[in-house]
Amino acid sequence: MTGALLLSVVGMGLLDSINPSLFIAQLYLLTTARPVPRVLSYIAGGVFAYFLGGVLILTGARAVIVDWLGQASPTLLYGLQLVVGLLILGFGLWFKTEVQPQEARKARSLTLGSSFVLGIVVIGNEVTTALPYFVAIEQIAQAKMSLPQNLLTLLLYNTMFSLPLFAFLLIYVLFRQRWAGILERINQGIQRWMPRLIKWLAIGFGAVLVLNAAGFLLG
C-alpha cells in the first residue's frame, strides 16, 4: 500500500462526497424528531451500501453477474424490465402528491431502520454518477494487495466519503437554535415539491422502461 494510493483514495473519497442529493436527504432528516440518531443511521446505511458494493466488486462478484447476464436470453431480461417498469409506473400513478397533516407527522416519526434504508437507497440511486468510487476501486485492484489491505483501503475511502456528512451534522448540533428556522423553511419546500418530483420521475422512468421492453417483445 503506497502513499500515492492512499492520497488518491482520500482525494477521491472527498470528491465523491460532494453530492447534493446526499445532503438534501440529510437536511430532511434534520427536520424530524430525534434528528441526530436518524442522521447517524442514514450515514451508516450509505456507508454500508458503498463498502459492501466495493467488496463485491473487488472479490469478483461483478464478473459473475456480467457472465450470467451474458448467458440469459434477451426475452427474459426484457420481460423482467417490463415487470419492473410496470411496478414503477404503477407506483408513480398511485403516489399522492397532497401531503396531509397526519402524513407529515408520520414522516417525523421515521424509524432508525427506515433512515438506514434511506441511506442505502440514496447511495444506490447515485451509483451511476459515482465515477470517483469506481476509479478508486480500479486503483485498489491494480495495487494487488491482500484482502485485509483492500478492506482497510475501502474503509478509508468510505471514511473520507462520510466525513462531510458528519461535519454537517456537527455544525447542526453546535448551532441548532440558529438552524431551526432555516430547516423549517427547507422542510416546507421539501414537503411541497418532493412528492411531485417523486411522482413524475417514477411515471417517466417507468414509462421509458415499459415502452422499451414492449418494443422489443412485440417487435
Side-chain angles (χ1 to χ4, degrees), residues 1 5 9 38 48 73 86 103 106 115 132 139 141 163 166 173 178 184 187 194:
M1 186 184 301
L5 175 61
V9 167
R38 287 191 172 88
F48 169 78
S73 69
L86 287 172
E103 292 174 329
K106 184 177 180 181
S115 302
Q139 292 177 344
L163 200 57
F166 283 113
V173 171
R178 298 182 183 180
E184 185 59 32
N187 183 46
M194 190 60 73

Side-chain angles (χ1 to χ4, degrees), residues 1 5 137-147 149-150:
M1 186 184 301
L5 175 61
I137 288 177
E138 182 65 24
Q139 292 177 344
I140 294 172
Q142 289 180 357
K144 299 185 182 305
M145 299 181 294
S146 64
L147 179 59
Q149 289 178 314
N150 284 341

Side-chain angles (χ1 to χ4, degrees), residues 52-80:
L52 180 61
V55 171
L56 291 176
I57 293 174
L58 287 174
T59 54
R62 180 180 61 177
V64 174
I65 295 173
V66 170
D67 184 62
W68 179 83
L69 291 176
Q71 295 179 2
S73 69
T75 301
L76 173 62
L77 296 178
Y78 277 99
L80 291 174

Side-chain angles (χ1 to χ4, degrees), residues 79-93 202 205-207 209-210:
L80 291 174
Q81 178 181 314
L82 179 63
V83 172
V84 172
L86 287 172
L87 290 174
I88 295 175
L89 180 60
F91 170 78
L93 293 173
F205 185 52
L209 291 178
V210 169

Side-chain angles (χ1 to χ4, degrees), residues 1-10 139 143 145 149 153 156:
M1 186 184 301
T2 64
L5 175 61
L6 291 178
L7 288 176
S8 177
V9 167
V10 168
Q139 292 177 344
M145 299 181 294
Q149 289 178 314
T153 310
L156 173 63

Side-chain angles (χ1 to χ4, degrees), residues 3 13-14 22 26-28 41 43 61 68 71-72 88 91 106 114 117-118 131 146 149 155 163 191 199 215:
L14 290 174
L22 295 173
Q26 185 171 357
L27 275 171
Y28 171 72
S41 178
I43 296 174
W68 179 83
Q71 295 179 2
I88 295 175
F91 170 78
K106 184 177 180 181
S114 299
V117 172
L118 177 62
L131 180 60
S146 64
Q149 289 178 314
L155 185 60
L163 200 57
Q191 288 190 6
K199 180 180 182 69

Side-chain angles (χ1 to χ4, degrees), residues 182-200:
I182 298 175
L183 288 175
E184 185 59 32
R185 289 194 292 272
I186 292 174
N187 183 46
Q188 291 174 359
I190 290 175
Q191 288 190 6
R192 180 180 179 184
W193 295 107
M194 190 60 73
R196 300 174 186 178
L197 181 63
I198 292 174
K199 180 180 182 69
W200 291 108

